[in-house]
């Protein structure tokens, strides 16, 4: 393990970007993109919030450094911050990002051709610790996901020439290496993992896009989570076990019926596939007549976002965008973006999805449609809320999103959850179902804003199975809160979150009381961690 530090220009001058080129996507799209230069001189890799302010930053990687351009609230960027990070492996095949140790700063996973390296952000965001594993892994797509639903983020990496590998988090940010059990073809062919809740049972399943070799090696797989830490491969029964060659897939609810559908992009032959989720564990091929056949080029990058904010998820496939017409047909806008799609996120804080690749931001020029961006902060669940299902209901109907880390093939896109709303000006109900089982419900949510939702902030209910059975009293409280539970809690770790998801108090219990006198009046969430048990309770400071 190597402790690395911070090296940056203290002037932190704001960058001035030049707009160079306008893409009209053959005039068929409702949005256009203009290019904006940014001074990266390393491999393009990620659009993701790195410092816990919920604004997407630009991340690029070199042999001995991580370069971050931090976005400001006005949509500009501070001059790059350069972290010195010698690494045993580089993200030559993929990069994943998440706050896997819950300290408020985003960590990185490098999927290299010879192995896997984690860059763990330190406690104040001024550097990274390098953690490399010795096992040989010919990495392809990588993800952060809570595989065993214990409240802690694990890591998953597709292996090109052997069974897949994964790293289980012990709850303190330490990983244990495992191989096999989720993608076991002996010579690999595992390329594009994406974690989704396809069966709406509250846990994350995995679709494995496969490529290369004979039909058996390249047959796509769907691994269903049984909720108890085991996975069953059901690709044939579900109707998605196609022997096409593909490096990635794009999952979204394309018809807004409450079930995740899938676009699978062919990397060899221009015969891409659109599959609708029947809601009974099976899928139907609806490619014919959908407009998908209009794309006659191939590639490896496929993702789903609502680029024009009309309330229907679109498909980005290797720089081409299929704009969703709302009836399971799509209009193709060829070459709307660079050929690798780029990493996606909101890079000027305007509510529209942009792209970053190389030294260029492809800025979405937007339109009059409305939007909502949701930032999920887990308390009993993992810090990023990865695996949460977010749904909103407006006059358009109901839309769903899963919070995911690692989509497409190699790049890392935003952890923020984005919805387009067309002409709708109010969301009647927003529901977040967390991996812990806690459900938060917000009503009459205004559009055209970014909101932060802390797990448990709208309800006092909690999943008490195997819990500490916490009681916080008095509630409301002025100066002190008293914590009682089913077991002695001295030395348990506590964190207090405000409603913006920031940790405002933390420490270890030395008695049954916590002094909250310094907090401002308002509502807070207490998270208590005792060994592997994590519980939360809401309280009010008078």
């Amino acid at each position: 393990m190597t402790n690395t530090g911070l090296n940056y220009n203290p002037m932190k001058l704001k960058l001035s970007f030049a707009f160079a080129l306008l893409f009209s996507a053959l005039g068929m799209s409702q949005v256009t993109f203009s290019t904006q230069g940014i001074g990266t001189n390393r491999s393009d890799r990620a659009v993701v919030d790195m410092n816990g302010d919920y604004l997407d930053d630009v991340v690029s990687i070199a042999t001995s450094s991580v370069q971050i351009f931090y976005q400001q609230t006005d949509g500009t960027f501070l001059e790059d911050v350069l972290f010195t990070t010698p690494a045993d492996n580089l993200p030559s095949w993929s990069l994943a990002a998440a706050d896997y140790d819950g300290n408020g700063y985003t960590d990185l996973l490098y999927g290299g051709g010879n192995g896997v390296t984690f860059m763990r952000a330190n406690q104040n965001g001024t550097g990274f610790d390098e953690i490399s594993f010795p096992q040989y892994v010919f990495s392809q797509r990588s993800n952060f996901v809570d595989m065993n639903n214990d409240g802690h983020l694990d890591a998953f990496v597709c292996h090109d020439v052997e069974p897949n590998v994964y790293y289980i988090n012990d709850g303190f940010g330490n990983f244990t290496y495992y191989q096999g059990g989720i993608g076991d073809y002996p010579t690999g062919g595992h390329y594009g993992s994406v974690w989704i809740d396809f069966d709406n049972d509250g846990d994350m399943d995995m679709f494995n896009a496969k490529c290369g070799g004979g039909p058996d090696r390249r047959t796509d797989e769907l691994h269903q989570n049984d909720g108890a830490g085991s996975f069953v491969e059901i690709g044939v029964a579900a109707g998605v076990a196609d022997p096409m060659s593909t490096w990635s897939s794009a999952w979204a609810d394309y018809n807004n019926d409450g079930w995740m559908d899938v676009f699978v992009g062919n990397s060899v032959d221009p015969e891409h596939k659109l599959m609708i989720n029947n809601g009974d564990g099976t899928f139907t091929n609806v490619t014919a007549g959908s407009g998908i056949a209009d794309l006659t080029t191939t590639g490896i990058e496929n993702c789903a976002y609502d680029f024009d904010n009309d309330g229907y998820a679109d498909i980005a496939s290797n720089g081409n965008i299929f704009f969703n017409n709302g009836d399971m047909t799509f209009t193709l806008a060829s070459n709307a973006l660079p050929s690798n799609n780029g990493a996606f996120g909101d890079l000027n804080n305007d509510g529209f999805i942009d792209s970053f690749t190389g030294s260029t931001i492809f800025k979405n020029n937007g339109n009059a449609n409305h939007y909502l961006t949701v930032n999920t902060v887990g308390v009993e669940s993992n810090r990023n809320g990865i695996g949460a299902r977010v749904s909103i209901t407006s006059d358009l109907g109901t839309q769903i999103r899963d919070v995911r880390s690692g989509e497409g093939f190699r790049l890392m896109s935003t952890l923020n959850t984005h919805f387009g709303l067309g002409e709708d000006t109010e969301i009647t109900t927003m529901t977040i179902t967390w991996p812990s089982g806690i459900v938060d419900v917000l009503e009459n949510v205004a559009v055209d804003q970014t909101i932060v939702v802390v797990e448990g902030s709208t309800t006092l209910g909690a999943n008490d199975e195997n819990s500490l059975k916490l009681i916080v009293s008095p509630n409301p409280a002025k100066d002190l809160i008293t914590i009682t539970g089913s077991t002695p809690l001295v030395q348990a770790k506590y964190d207090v979150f405000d409603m913006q998801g920031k940790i405002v108090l933390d420490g270890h219990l030395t008695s049954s009381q916590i002094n909250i006198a310094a907090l401002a009046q308002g509502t807070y969430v207490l998270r208590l961690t005792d060994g592997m048990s994590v519980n939360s309770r809401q309280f009010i400071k008078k």
Side-chain angles (χ1 to χ4, degrees):
M1 181 182 300
T2 303
N3 187 282
T4 58
L6 173 67
N7 176 21
Y8 72 101
N9 185 337
M11 297 295 291
K12 293 186 177 179
L13 299 176
K14 291 185 177 180
L15 296 176
S16 175
F17 298 114
F19 294 90
L21 185 62
L22 185 67
F23 286 80
S24 63
L26 302 184
M28 292 186 292
S29 70
Q30 296 184 44
V31 295
T32 59
F33 295 87
S34 54
T35 61
Q36 179 176 329
I38 189 168
T40 60
N41 53 12
R42 292 153 179 81
S43 297
D44 57 325
R45 279 298 182 266
V47 169
V48 67
D49 170 28
M50 293 296 293
N51 58 351
D53 64 359
Y54 310 113
L55 296 170
D56 286 322
D57 306 310
V58 171
V59 183
S60 59
I61 309 295
T63 302
S64 60
S65 61
V66 174
Q67 182 188 41
I68 303 175
F69 288 84
Y70 289 105
Q71 186 179 170
Q72 307 302 293
T73 55
D74 63 359
T76 63
F77 292 85
L78 289 180
E79 189 171 349
D80 67 301
V81 179
L82 192 65
F83 298 88
T84 302
T85 55
D88 292 328
N89 302 288
L90 289 175
S92 49
W93 289 94
S94 71
L95 180 82
D99 181 6
Y100 73 76
D101 58 359
N103 69 353
Y105 295 95
T106 297
D107 313 298
L108 304 173
L109 186 165
Y110 292 0
N114 292 306
V116 174
T117 288
F118 295 90
M119 285 293 172
R120 184 175 180 176
N122 64 19
Q123 293 299 311
N124 56 13
T126 59
F128 293 87
D129 293 332
E130 181 221 340
I131 305 166
S132 291
F133 279 76
Q135 294 86 1
Y136 166 71
V137 181
F138 190 171
S139 308
Q140 302 296 306
R141 176 73 261 176
S142 54
N143 320 91
F144 282 107
V145 61
D146 184 358
M147 295 173 59
N148 55 4
N149 204 30
D150 66 352
H152 310 297
L153 282 177
D154 312 303
F156 184 88
V157 181
C158 283
H159 203 317
D160 191 13
V161 297
E162 294 180 14
N164 289 328
V165 303
Y166 51 99
Y167 305 79
I168 298 298
N169 190 336
D170 69 354
F172 302 97
N174 306 305
F175 288 121
T176 301
Y177 168 89
Y178 293 90
Q179 183 171 28
I182 313 176
D184 288 337
Y185 197 78
T187 62
H190 312 292
Y191 275 61
S193 52
V194 60
W195 292 79
I196 69 276
D197 183 8
F198 88 91
D199 53 5
N200 287 2
D201 65 352
D203 53 42
M204 297 298 273
D205 314 293
M206 193 272 281
F207 181 79
N208 193 6
K210 302 195 68 184
C211 185
D216 290 342
R217 186 178 189 269
R218 66 173 183 261
T219 296
D220 296 335
E221 300 172 346
L222 180 60
H223 297 267
Q224 186 175 38
N225 190 336
D226 69 357
S230 297
F231 293 81
V232 179
E233 207 290 295
I234 61 166
V236 172
V240 297
D242 197 309
M244 66 190 291
S245 290
T246 178
W247 288 34
S248 66
S249 57
W251 285 77
D253 181 10
Y254 293 117
N255 58 351
N256 287 355
D257 69 346
W259 297 88
M260 286 289 176
D261 313 304
V262 59
F263 168 85
V264 185
N266 201 318
S267 61
V268 176
D269 300 311
E271 295 182 1
H272 313 292
K273 183 174 67 174
L274 182 65
M275 306 284 286
I276 192 170
N277 190 332
N278 298 318
D280 60 1
T282 68
F283 293 75
T284 298
N285 191 327
V286 293
T287 307
S290 67
I292 297 300
D294 292 343
L295 182 60
T296 58
T297 58
T298 62
I300 65 175
E301 291 287 354
N302 303 282
C303 280
Y305 287 94
D306 186 356
F307 293 99
D308 54 4
N309 282 2
D310 67 349
Y312 294 93
D314 309 307
I315 302 167
S317 182
N318 305 292
N320 309 287
I321 297 180
F322 285 106
F323 283 95
N324 191 338
N325 299 319
D327 58 1
M328 288 303 285
T329 68
F330 295 79
T331 299
L332 176 64
S334 298
N335 304 314
L337 289 166
S339 60
N340 68 358
N341 279 348
F344 293 118
D346 185 354
L347 288 171
N348 57 350
N349 201 24
D350 69 347
F352 285 83
I353 296 295
D354 311 302
S355 166
F356 157 68
T357 185
S359 58
T360 303
I361 292 172
F362 287 76
K363 179 185 175 184
N364 188 330
N365 294 317
N367 54 30
N369 287 339
H370 300 291
Y371 74 92
L372 178 74
T373 300
V374 182
N375 301 313
T376 49
V377 180
V379 178
E380 291 194 33
S381 304
N382 65 84
R383 181 70 165 78
N384 298 118
I386 292 169
R389 167 65 59 86
V390 185
S391 68
I392 63 169
T393 300
S394 68
D395 289 344
L396 272 173
T398 298
Q399 301 180 55
I400 63 172
R401 302 284 189 270
D402 288 336
V403 184
R404 305 195 285 249
S405 169
E407 300 184 80
F409 178 70
R410 76 185 187 97
L411 304 175
M412 176 67 203
S413 294
T414 183
L415 288 168
N416 302 339
T417 301
H418 170 265
F419 293 92
L421 284 151
E423 297 180 354
D424 288 359
T425 57
E426 185 178 73
I427 297 162
T428 55
T429 306
M430 181 175 74
T431 303
I432 301 178
T433 304
W434 301 84
S436 66
I438 291 174
V439 179
D440 281 294
V441 180
L442 291 81
E443 297 181 343
N444 302 320
V445 178
V447 301
D448 296 337
Q449 64 167 331
T450 297
I451 64 172
V452 178
V453 181
V454 180
E455 181 179 13
S457 61
T458 70
T459 175
L460 294 177
N463 180 2
D464 279 328
E465 182 181 354
N466 193 32
S467 75
L468 301 175
K469 302 189 185 304
L470 292 182
I471 298 174
V472 178
S473 62
N475 191 5
K478 182 179 181 181
D479 296 319
L480 295 171
I481 55 174
T482 299
I483 314 299
T484 58
S486 58
T487 61
L489 300 175
V490 175
Q491 290 305 312
K493 175 74 168 63
Y494 69 85
D495 300 283
V496 176
F497 295 83
D498 66 14
M499 291 299 99
Q500 294 301 310
K502 298 292 186 183
I503 296 176
V504 293
L505 281 178
D506 66 325
H508 289 82
L509 290 178
T510 57
S511 70
S512 62
Q513 293 186 317
I514 299 174
N515 190 326
I516 61 168
L519 297 181
Q521 293 182 359
T523 301
Y524 298 88
V525 175
L526 168 71
R527 178 178 66 187
L528 203 67
T529 305
D530 187 30
M532 295 297 289
S533 182
V534 182
N535 277 212
S536 65
R537 287 295 182 269
Q538 185 183 110
F539 70 90
I540 297 172
K541 168 64 163 60
K542 291 193 295 185

